[in-house]
Amino acid sequence: MLSVADLRAQLANVLEKLSTNAGPLYVTQRGQARAVLLSVDEYERLTDQLEYLEDSLTIAEGRGRDTPDAPPRSLEEVERDLRRRGRLPR
């Protein structure tokens, strides 16, 4: 954890640490966590993982796993849904 005052005073050092350490850095204000800083690589890894999980859920829904009686959706329907969500290019 790092206070806002310490962050201001040590910004260059903090950015260097973030580039070498994949873990998050919590920024506190008046003793309470207010923000989390991540390296760009870690942020991109997390957002890629989230998109993959969302896509996997969409595909699983298309197979009717959440409701066994539902007919499976076609690949075209799943792709259309992913495009609507901005997960596939148009």
Side-chain angles (χ1 to χ4, degrees):
M1 289 201 186
L2 188 68
S3 71
V4 170
D6 289 340
L7 177 60
R8 281 188 196 121
Q10 302 173 26
L11 185 57
N13 292 335
V14 168
L15 293 176
E16 179 64 30
K17 284 181 184 178
L18 284 173
S19 69
T20 60
N21 181 5
L25 175 64
Y26 294 87
V27 179
T28 62
Q29 187 176 39
R30 296 186 190 102
Q32 295 201 356
R34 296 292 183 192
V36 177
L37 297 176
L38 296 170
S39 68
V40 171
D41 289 341
E42 180 67 3
Y43 174 78
E44 288 175 350
R45 187 189 70 75
L46 290 172
T47 55
D48 287 347
Q49 185 178 27
L50 180 59
E51 288 176 6
Y52 174 80
L53 291 171
E54 288 174 340
D55 293 348
S56 296
L57 179 59
T58 299
I59 291 167
E61 289 170 347
R63 292 183 182 146
R65 288 184 181 170
D66 57 337
T67 56
D69 296 339
R73 294 189 307 167
S74 69
L75 177 59
E76 291 79 18
E77 289 173 310
V78 172
E79 287 176 340
R80 188 171 45 247
D81 188 39
L82 289 173
R83 279 190 188 90
R84 191 173 50 244
R85 293 180 186 194
R87 300 285 184 232
L88 285 179
R90 298 211 178 254

